[in-house]
Amino acid sequence: MSVRWPRVLNPTQLSQILRNQKNPLRAVELFEEARIKFPNYRHNGPVYATLIDVLGKSGKFKEMKEVIGKMRDDSCHCKDSVFANAIKTYARAGLVDEAVSLFKDIPNFNCVNWTESFNTVLQILVKESKLEAAHRLFVDYSCGWEVKSRVVALNLLMESLCQHKRSDLASHVFQEMSYQGCYPNRGSYLILMQGLCKDGRLTEATHLLYSMFWRISQKGSGEDIVVYRTLLDALCDNGQVDEALEILGKILRKGLKAPKVRQPQLDLTNCRSVESIDATKKLIHEALIRGCVPSSASYTVMAHDFYKEGSVAQADKVLNEMLDRGFKPAIRSYEAKLTALCSEGRIDDAVHVIEVEMVRANCVRTVRVYNVLLRGLCETGNSAMAVRYLEKMDKQVGCVADSESYSILVNGLCRDGRFVEASRILEQMLRRSYRPSVNMYNVLVQGLCTIGRQYDAVTLVEEMIDQGEIPDMSLWNSLVVSACYNLAEMDVCSQTLQQLSSMQ
């Protein structure tokens, strides 16, 4: 693809040129060519970021590493987000050691803030259960002035310890936070509270709750409800209903600052007369919601928490009360509801949320919301209906399908054996300048071969070559076997074979 160079080149123009290249290796060539054609031009951080992003998304890790090295040698100012994204790219490809190595090399770059990269690489190590490596990384780099905040990192360590049933060690980390120049936030309390309750350390969890009253709940924030509910549910499950009700009373007075005019409406005596633990917990949940100062945040947090644990009926009750009180549900509430319904296979109910509930609440449907529904439809074999929702997205102003939308649809259509329709969606994906994965190409080409669409399969193989990808031998074998059943296509396949042979 020829490039029409401007008379005077600036970094913004070059970034746009690089993004428009189908072949990422061609983008690297243009990146180098720019310096030769324009001697007074110098690459800056955004140009390097663009090329690194292009190479990372196309899986060209060797070239990406070389470009990162050139960025270091140029000493141009670069943002922390460039390294964080590159670290995530390495991690998605299973190259964790490369991700850690890149982070440790950041001091050699012109970057003054490593906070995002630090939290990213730490999260990756924790996810991979490499706790010793995560601990060493934290000790070596957390105290530097380049890491502006350590709260997220300490929360990650506590969460990992709690997942390994070491809430006692997580408590030590929590207590050390103040010595690290930071203070626990609501997330810190929730992580430790959940860990202590899972380990049955309810006395320590109760003390943690009381400390929360004077640290972060002095104004009675309704968002603290999730933390309170964790302890109250654990006490009820342990048969300590009286203790739970006693603590509930303190929560309403000191934690949520329930107005005095509302307190008489909260009759907690009914909780003791209920035989079922689940019924008791439901009454306690209602008391928490009604006892706090009504706010969008408190309803949203509670509903989201219920949806996350699969209690759709209770979450719907919270959402309905929220609407009755005149609050507008947040997008993330509907997103959580769709996720919960799709995970249970309740596709009709999920469609009702998109088509009726969100419209009634005057809530604009976003790409993220649609993607949740598309994934649910495709996982249940309703890929044809998912295609119709892609068309609806195109008609909705301000809602443009992203790379994830197309990937979900193509994979879903292939699973349902609708390869011709999947190839049509892939063409739309390419027109929007989104890059399909190599695996997506492989599945679709092999599927087209099985239904005798050799010409379409060869077209996709040629598209792969144009994008700098080399199809593996299994893909070529499928194409040859299919072509043998249709000799009229042999000339086309032979040409493709010659192209492949010349690239070896």
Side-chain angles (χ1 to χ4, degrees), residues 427-480:
E427 289 175 7
Q428 293 181 25
M429 185 178 185
L430 292 168
R431 284 198 296 270
R432 295 279 178 88
S433 298
Y434 297 127
R435 293 185 61 87
S437 66
V438 175
N439 182 62
M440 191 183 300
Y441 274 120
N442 290 343
V443 172
L444 185 52
V445 169
Q446 291 174 3
L448 289 170
C449 289
T450 60
I451 60 174
R453 302 288 293 236
Q454 291 87 1
Y455 182 82
D456 293 337
V458 170
T459 302
L460 283 181
V461 172
E462 291 176 343
E463 183 66 36
M464 287 183 71
I465 296 171
D466 288 342
Q467 294 196 3
E469 303 289 352
I470 301 178
D472 55 29
M473 288 306 299
S474 64
L475 186 65
W476 177 243
N477 289 337
S478 299
L479 198 58
V480 170

Side-chain angles (χ1 to χ4, degrees), residues 321-432:
E321 185 170 338
M322 182 180 186
L323 288 166
D324 291 341
R325 291 186 177 277
F327 295 106
K328 182 180 178 180
I331 290 289
R332 73 188 190 104
S333 299
Y334 288 111
E335 188 178 333
K337 182 173 183 176
L338 284 168
T339 303
L341 291 171
C342 290
S343 64
E344 295 179 2
R346 297 167 58 182
I347 300 302
D348 292 339
D349 292 335
V351 170
H352 184 267
V353 171
I354 287 274
E355 297 290 352
V356 179
E357 293 184 22
M358 294 188 71
V359 175
R360 187 186 299 151
N362 196 24
C363 194
V364 179
R365 293 163 289 190
T366 63
V367 176
R368 284 174 57 92
V369 169
Y370 274 115
N371 285 349
V372 173
L373 180 62
L374 292 179
R375 185 175 288 105
L377 289 169
C378 290
E379 287 178 352
T380 54
N382 293 294
S383 57
M385 185 184 295
V387 173
R388 292 199 292 272
Y389 275 99
L390 180 67
E391 296 168 355
K392 282 191 176 184
M393 290 173 68
D394 289 336
K395 295 176 183 178
Q396 182 177 320
V397 178
C399 185
V400 181
D402 58 11
S403 178
E404 184 182 1
S405 310
Y406 288 108
S407 298
I408 292 169
L409 266 178
V410 173
N411 291 328
L413 289 166
C414 288
R415 280 198 300 269
D416 292 349
R418 307 171 69 91
F419 299 108
V420 175
E421 201 163 0
S423 64
R424 181 176 63 82
I425 299 298
L426 187 71
E427 289 175 7
Q428 293 181 25
M429 185 178 185
L430 292 168
R431 284 198 296 270
R432 295 279 178 88

Side-chain angles (χ1 to χ4, degrees), residues 5-293:
W5 293 99
R7 291 182 62 187
V8 179
L9 181 67
N10 61 51
T12 303
Q13 291 171 326
L14 182 58
S15 294
Q16 189 62 43
I17 290 171
L18 297 178
R19 285 194 196 94
N20 291 337
Q21 301 309 306
K22 292 174 65 175
N23 190 333
L25 300 181
R26 175 59 178 158
V28 175
E29 293 174 3
L30 294 173
F31 177 82
E32 298 294 345
E33 188 178 336
R35 284 181 166 174
I36 300 172
K37 282 186 172 291
F38 303 91
N40 295 325
Y41 169 81
R42 292 292 180 271
H43 295 312
N44 65 1
V47 172
Y48 276 107
T50 299
L51 186 56
I52 290 169
D53 182 60
V54 168
L55 293 170
K57 287 180 177 178
S58 58
K60 303 296 182 183
F61 301 113
K62 178 184 174 183
E63 291 79 6
M64 185 178 82
K65 187 174 182 179
E66 291 174 355
V67 172
I68 291 173
K70 291 176 181 178
M71 182 172 68
R72 178 191 58 221
D73 297 337
D74 270 0
S75 295
C76 64
H77 176 69
C78 42
K79 293 184 178 180
D80 186 26
S81 58
V82 177
F83 299 105
N85 291 333
I87 288 169
K88 290 176 184 175
T89 300
Y90 277 133
R92 282 194 292 268
L95 303 172
V96 178
D97 291 338
E98 287 286 349
V100 175
S101 177
L102 174 58
F103 173 77
K104 291 182 177 179
D105 198 32
I106 293 180
N108 297 320
F109 291 80
N110 185 7
C111 181
V112 296
N113 184 354
W114 312 343
T115 307
E116 186 180 355
S117 301
F118 176 69
N119 291 334
T120 300
V121 73
L122 199 66
Q123 186 175 23
I124 290 167
L125 290 172
V126 167
K127 186 178 180 181
E128 295 290 327
S129 298
K130 298 185 177 183
L131 298 185
E132 291 186 7
H135 177 258
R136 285 197 304 270
L137 191 82
F138 180 85
V139 172
D140 292 342
Y141 293 95
S142 64
C143 294
W145 59 269
E146 298 89 353
V147 178
K148 307 300 182 184
S149 174
R150 286 172 284 278
V151 176
V152 175
L154 290 167
N155 284 352
L156 283 170
L157 291 175
M158 285 198 301
E159 186 173 12
S160 178
L161 290 168
C162 290
Q163 287 173 353
H164 288 80
K165 298 187 180 299
R166 292 309 305 270
S167 58
D168 54 332
L169 294 179
S171 296
H172 290 305
V173 174
F174 181 87
Q175 292 165 7
E176 288 290 324
M177 278 184 136
S178 57
Y179 298 104
Q180 292 285 334
C182 55
Y183 294 94
N185 57 17
R186 185 173 290 106
S188 310
Y189 279 95
L190 179 59
I191 290 167
L192 184 56
M193 183 66 76
Q194 290 174 339
L196 291 170
C197 291
K198 285 180 180 177
D199 291 351
R201 307 168 74 94
L202 299 182
T203 302
E204 293 178 47
T206 303
H207 290 310
L208 178 67
L209 183 84
Y210 292 152
S211 71
M212 186 176 173
F213 285 163
W214 62 269
R215 271 197 168 180
I216 69 170
S217 301
Q218 294 180 7
K219 295 183 180 179
S221 173
E223 295 180 57
D224 300 335
I225 283 180
V226 180
V227 185
Y228 301 146
R229 189 173 76 88
T230 301
L231 175 60
L232 295 174
D233 284 358
L235 289 170
C236 290
D237 290 335
N238 198 46
Q240 299 174 253
V241 176
D242 290 337
E243 289 83 346
L245 295 178
E246 182 182 348
I247 293 173
L248 174 61
K250 293 179 181 179
I251 288 172
L252 295 174
R253 292 192 305 273
K254 299 180 180 179
L256 296 176
K257 307 290 192 219
K260 291 183 178 180
V261 295
R262 296 178 63 85
Q263 288 182 17
Q265 303 172 15
L266 304 173
D267 186 7
L268 305 181
T269 56
N270 293 332
C271 297
R272 292 186 176 86
S273 60
V274 178
E275 295 181 1
S276 170
I277 294 295
D278 290 335
T280 302
K281 290 196 289 188
K282 285 182 181 179
L283 290 173
I284 289 176
H285 297 161
E286 291 180 8
L288 284 173
I289 296 171
R290 294 174 181 170
C292 68
V293 177

